[in-house]
Amino acid sequence: ELKVEQNPLFLSMQEGKNYTIYCNYSTTSDRLYWYRQDPGKSLESLFVLLSNGAVKQEGRLMASLDTKARLSTLHITAAVHDLSATYFCASAAGNQFYFGTGTSLTVIP
Amino acid sequence: NAGVTQTPKFRILKIGQSMTLQCTQDMNHNYMYWYRQDPGMGLKLIYYSVGAGITDKGEVPNGYNVSRSTTEDFPLRLELAAPSQTSVYFCASSQRGRRSYEQYFGPGTRLTVT
């Protein structure tokens, strides 16, 4: 069974600062996903990473994948309050999906 | 397009009751999924389907059943509700080969079993 670990679990950061969320997975996977979830809401897809070295950027968020280290990162640049949410990574192997427990991000003005 | 829709939004069940959670997508996606999310946790895959008539188990299938008679619909059945099934249930769909396997999620069904 594939295990996915995220850290940190909780992150409080000031507006304008940079930070990185880490996602480690335990076995070979086909693709790595990042999602955002606002309180009481559904999940919004942010990125899908398919190959080693893949990097995707959208606004202040950038995701990367290192399949050899079984590590994905979500980098936040110059955080703003609107980025406050819970961020999940998920690793997929075939049709099976395994989610991390999430990183709850709070951006403080 | 409405995307992925789920009904009901909320439901309270008594122990031992049965119910069906409905999921419909209008994007002509082949792949559909059911997840559950317990408080403060990530999602766990219950069942998935790769097309009409084809379903398979995910990580936590016990206590649930699914069927997929059409491309659009993927209902989830709870036969004998137990308190451990109290959770938020999300349905999702995707179309491999397009949009890089991106998954689209429904709004969720919040289920309480007492």
Side-chain angles (χ1 to χ4, degrees), chain A residues 32-34 45-49 56-58 61-63 74:
Chain A
L32 195 290
Y33 294 75
W34 284 97
S45 179
L46 296 174
F47 303 107
V48 183
L49 303 168
K56 291 194 174 180
Q57 182 163 6
E58 182 75 33
L61 301 177
M62 183 175 71
L74 181 66

Side-chain angles (χ1 to χ4, degrees), chain B residues 6 18 20-21 25 27 38-39 70 88 92 105 113:
Chain B
Q6 292 182 237
S18 301
T20 298
L21 282 67
Q25 53 93 6
M27 297 173 282
D38 297 330
T70 66
V88 180
F105 282 82
V113 182

